[in-house]
Amino acid sequence: MTLLGVILLGVVLLLSVGYLFLRERHSFWRKRGFPCMPNPSLLFGQMEGNGSTKHAAYVTQEIYNNAKDRGERFLGYSFFFMPLVMVCDIELVKTILVKDFAVFHDRGIYSNARIDPLSGNLFALEGHEWRELRQKLTPTFTSGRMKQMFGTMLEVAEKLHKYILTNVDREMEMKDVLGRFTTDVIGTCAFGVECNSLDNPNSEFLQYGKRVFEHRLFALVKMTFAMLFRNTATKLGVKVTDADLETFFLNLVHETVEYRERNDVQRNDFLNLLLQIKNKGCLEEQEDGQTMPNGSTGMTMNELAAQVFIFFVAGFETSSTVMNFCLYELAKNANIQERLREEINRTIENNGGELTYEVVMGQEYLGQVVNETLRKYPPLETTLRVTSQDYTIPGTEHVIPRKVGVQIPVYAIHRDPELYPDPECFDPDRFTQEECKNRPAYTFLPFGEGPRMCIGKRFGMMQVKVGLATLLRSFRFFPSEKTPERIVFDPKSFILSPTGGNYLRVEQV
């Protein structure tokens, strides 16, 4: 046989093995008797078009609607070649996130801190490592800690006010502006570093932060492979963090920590709290007789860097996105914008003209507007869990095998007309106390629920409310010629983000 013949035979054999493997993966649920989506694409499963023509939120909503139309509480499908179960029943959502949390305590996100230090963060860690780290970090996100950071955040908000003031009476692309604002907030509250992104849109912080949320097909396939074949990925040394991004954040954290420890610098920020945990195992006020789990002695420098990293990437893009969508809806709904502005101004005036933590966090209608924005545009459209053991779905004989992913489709639940009538309508009155009491629990999930819900919820809400209060008390926002009638999500963005930005006309009040 000629060399060419050998090569062709090898290619045919390789393609045949690949075809048989993918066909086997796509029959995963059918062979187990699960209700499942029909006709998966050989290469993409039910995710065909994801990342190129449509955002994953639209795909998961289609699967969710398919399950609801068929009267199914759950549905199996193929996320590329990875089998997932989508949960569509709210009681089952509660069971997975809370009641049976012992089985569903992990997200299934690939993490290998030994060769990929930044992946060893609270969001990705599993089992005992996650529990120990969560216990260490929980005291750093109390309302008292948020109040300590409020002044620093307000200083950045004043810079945002000045920036907008120099650009009034014209069209502005708000997505970019708000991303720069939250970058500056997170930079100073997490790292104690002045990023100055509002003055310098080419700031390294901003550019590296955006990189994390880019939806690249190769990166998605690599992550899917690592999640599905974790042991193999670990042996192969698969890294999910780009090398230059890792170098930037590790160097920044190491240099900042060394400077602070050498010069005994104290600041009211997240890094200062992490340094206490690194060196003493707990916060200073916890030292009286309190020990960390299993005699923990704190954190390594890389562990600290991983937590600062996830705090940065989780806080800057998600919060700016919420503010961006909120301003879009307020521009389209002038009556809601005016009602909110009146509340903001009234509460500030009643407080002697001072914007304080209590004033910002205590504004009822502002809370309703932010919650309605989070309902309609949850930054992360999905919450993922994996089984730690074979799990029989309550009330059925269906068994989800160990280490298989279970998806809570947050975006689709928030757009379910049975739970939120006329879901496309922006209506903050859905979140009055009375309406919330009348609605089933676990139908509003922008931060997840249960023991693994977002630890930074308080900080994120404070950042969003400070930014909105600062803007709305001084400026009015109107649609411009470039403002779309309906938002289309950018398929290249991991989180919900509008295609083409968000252009609004801004006027001073």
Side-chain angles (χ1 to χ4, degrees):
M1 183 179 292
T2 65
L3 178 60
L4 178 60
V6 171
I7 293 174
L8 289 175
L9 179 60
V11 170
V12 170
L13 287 174
L14 188 61
L15 290 175
S16 298
V17 169
Y19 171 78
L20 293 173
F21 167 77
L22 291 172
R23 192 175 69 172
E24 174 68 19
R25 298 307 302 177
H26 295 321
S27 65
F28 186 90
W29 296 117
R30 179 174 50 79
K31 287 184 176 180
R32 287 164 173 78
F34 270 68
C36 55
M37 287 291 289
N39 306 319
S41 161
L42 184 65
L43 293 178
F44 301 101
Q46 262 74 41
M47 304 306 292
E48 189 163 19
N50 176 41
S52 58
T53 59
K54 59 183 177 181
H55 195 278
Y58 300 128
V59 179
T60 54
Q61 188 176 30
E62 289 171 7
I63 298 171
Y64 177 89
N65 291 339
N66 183 286
K68 297 284 285 189
D69 292 342
R70 291 160 55 179
E72 302 289 0
R73 297 167 59 212
F74 52 89
L75 202 64
Y77 77 100
S78 295
F79 180 89
F80 293 92
F81 52 85
M82 182 170 67
L84 289 181
V85 177
M86 182 180 291
V87 176
C88 308
D89 176 74
I90 298 303
E91 280 302 312
L92 188 52
V93 168
K94 177 181 178 180
T95 298
I96 288 168
L97 294 180
V98 180
K99 183 179 177 181
D100 289 338
F101 178 76
V103 179
F104 296 96
H105 49 72
D106 296 333
R107 299 184 190 275
I109 304 297
Y110 174 75
S111 172
N112 186 350
R114 184 178 59 83
I115 67 158
D116 191 358
L118 297 183
S119 72
N121 59 68
L122 186 66
F123 186 82
L125 287 177
E126 299 185 339
H128 173 73
E129 289 181 314
W130 169 79
R131 289 188 185 89
E132 184 173 326
L133 185 58
R134 177 84 182 205
Q135 187 172 343
K136 291 178 183 178
L137 294 181
T138 295
T140 68
F141 287 96
T142 62
S143 57
R145 297 295 180 192
M146 298 304 100
K147 290 177 70 173
Q148 291 177 2
M149 297 183 191
F150 181 81
T152 303
M153 187 178 293
L154 199 58
E155 290 176 5
V156 182
E158 286 303 315
K159 293 179 182 179
L160 172 65
H161 175 269
K162 291 178 181 178
Y163 179 84
I164 299 294
L165 199 58
T166 61
N167 291 275
V168 294
D169 299 324
R170 69 176 193 175
E171 183 181 70
M172 296 183 65
E173 203 290 279
M174 296 307 301
K175 180 177 181 292
D176 175 65
V177 173
L178 296 171
R180 288 150 65 184
F181 163 67
T182 54
T183 297
D184 287 352
V185 170
I186 298 293
T188 188
C189 288
F191 294 88
V193 174
E194 300 294 332
C195 302
N196 296 317
S197 298
L198 284 167
D199 296 326
N200 176 20
N202 296 316
S203 145
E204 281 189 301
F205 261 94
L206 186 61
Q207 300 309 315
Y208 279 113
K210 288 179 177 179
R211 283 265 302 281
V212 177
F213 292 95
E214 289 177 356
H215 198 319
R216 291 166 291 171
L217 183 60
F218 174 73
L220 189 60
V221 171
K222 182 171 66 173
M223 176 61 82
T224 302
F225 170 82
M227 290 168 65
L228 195 58
F229 306 105
R230 179 165 305 208
N231 292 336
T232 302
T234 300
K235 291 176 182 177
L236 292 174
V238 172
K239 296 184 65 169
V240 295
T241 309
D242 291 346
D244 59 335
L245 189 148
E246 175 187 294
T247 299
F248 173 77
F249 279 101
L250 285 180
N251 287 345
L252 179 65
V253 172
H254 284 225
E255 290 170 6
T256 306
V257 167
E258 289 172 4
Y259 176 81
R260 288 198 183 190
E261 292 186 333
R262 186 171 61 250
N263 296 280
D264 193 27
V265 175
Q266 300 293 321
R267 285 177 54 106
N268 288 325
D269 59 21
F270 185 57
L271 181 58
N272 195 63
L273 300 175
L274 288 181
L275 281 173
Q276 293 178 29
I277 297 173
K278 167 184 170 288
N279 296 326
K280 301 179 181 181
C282 62
L283 300 182
E284 289 175 351
E285 65 268 28
Q286 294 179 287
E287 290 184 81
D288 296 334
Q290 181 172 342
T291 59
M292 298 310 293
N294 296 329
S296 170
T297 56
M299 293 182 183
T300 66
M301 186 72 86
N302 280 352
E303 287 171 339
L304 182 149
Q307 310 326 310
V308 176
F309 170 74
I310 197 65
F311 182 67
F312 173 74
V313 298
F316 111 84
E317 182 76 357
T318 54
S319 294
S320 66
T321 297
V322 172
M323 293 172 63
N324 183 48
F325 283 127
C326 187
L327 290 181
Y328 167 83
E329 290 290 351
L330 292 176
K332 304 283 281 188
N333 297 274
N335 58 327
I336 296 175
Q337 183 179 162
E338 288 304 317
R339 178 180 168 184
L340 178 56
R341 181 176 294 105
E342 289 174 5
E343 181 200 71
I344 291 170
N345 288 332
R346 183 176 64 253
T347 54
I348 293 175
E349 287 172 10
N350 292 340
N351 194 52
E354 185 180 3
L355 185 62
T356 63
Y357 175 83
E358 289 77 13
V359 166
V360 169
M361 301 307 287
Q363 292 184 24
E364 184 176 355
Y365 195 61
L366 176 58
Q368 291 175 213
V369 169
V370 172
N371 282 343
E372 175 66 349
T373 305
L374 287 166
R375 176 200 68 82
K376 197 170 178 183
Y377 309 100
L380 293 178
E381 58 91 16
T382 281
T383 291
L384 191 66
R385 297 288 186 270
V386 294
T387 52
S388 60
Q389 62 191 52
D390 288 356
Y391 179 78
T392 303
I393 298 176
T396 76
E397 295 181 355
H398 294 296
V399 178
I400 305 175
R402 178 177 176 270
K403 293 298 181 183
V404 169
V406 177
Q407 180 185 15
I408 311 298
V410 176
Y411 175 84
I413 290 172
H414 287 186
R415 300 285 183 123
D416 188 335
E418 294 180 9
L419 302 172
Y420 296 97
D422 193 10
E424 293 297 323
C425 174
F426 186 80
D427 181 12
D429 287 334
R430 299 181 200 271
F431 289 93
T432 62
Q433 291 185 10
E434 183 178 356
E435 285 296 315
C436 290
K437 288 179 182 177
N438 293 334
R439 194 162 45 243
Y442 299 90
T443 56
F444 182 62
L445 302 165
F447 299 98
E449 268 295 350
R452 195 139 192 175
M453 74 181 298
C454 177
I455 194 173
K457 175 182 176 180
R458 280 195 181 97
F459 184 91
M461 291 295 280
M462 180 172 71
Q463 182 175 214
V464 167
K465 290 181 177 181
V466 167
L468 290 174
T470 299
L471 292 174
L472 291 169
R473 66 187 295 199
S474 300
F475 306 103
R476 285 189 176 89
F477 297 86
F478 303 90
S480 74
E481 293 183 359
K482 293 183 180 180
T483 306
E485 186 61 34
R486 181 187 176 92
I487 290 287
V488 176
F489 302 130
D490 184 357
K492 296 179 181 179
S493 174
F494 181 71
I495 66 172
L496 296 192
S497 182
T499 298
N502 177 30
Y503 289 87
L504 299 177
R505 186 164 53 86
V506 185
E507 293 182 3
Q508 189 174 3
V509 172

